[in-house]
Amino acid sequence: MADGTKNPARFLRDVGREMKRVTWPNRRELTKYTIVVIITIIFFVIFFAAVDSGLSELVRLLLG
């Protein structure tokens, strides 16, 4: 759509063409990526829980 026209049919055709060029991960790669995402999420949950707990304790100490 760099030429400025807004043709939905052409857009969908172009999307279809681009989707054929995509290299999809195989099952093994997908499993690895999924594990990395889950580990990252667990890390951030633990990190933010620790920060929240620390800040809560700090506020308790300062106010009471």
Side-chain angles (χ1 to χ4, degrees), residues 32-63:
K32 286 181 183 179
Y33 300 154
T34 303
I35 291 169
V36 168
V37 168
I38 291 171
I39 290 171
T40 303
I41 290 170
I42 291 170
F43 169 78
F44 278 107
V45 166
I46 293 169
F47 173 77
F48 284 114
V51 169
D52 181 52
S53 190
L55 289 175
S56 296
E57 189 61 32
L58 181 64
V59 168
R60 265 189 239 124
L61 288 172
L62 291 174
L63 297 178

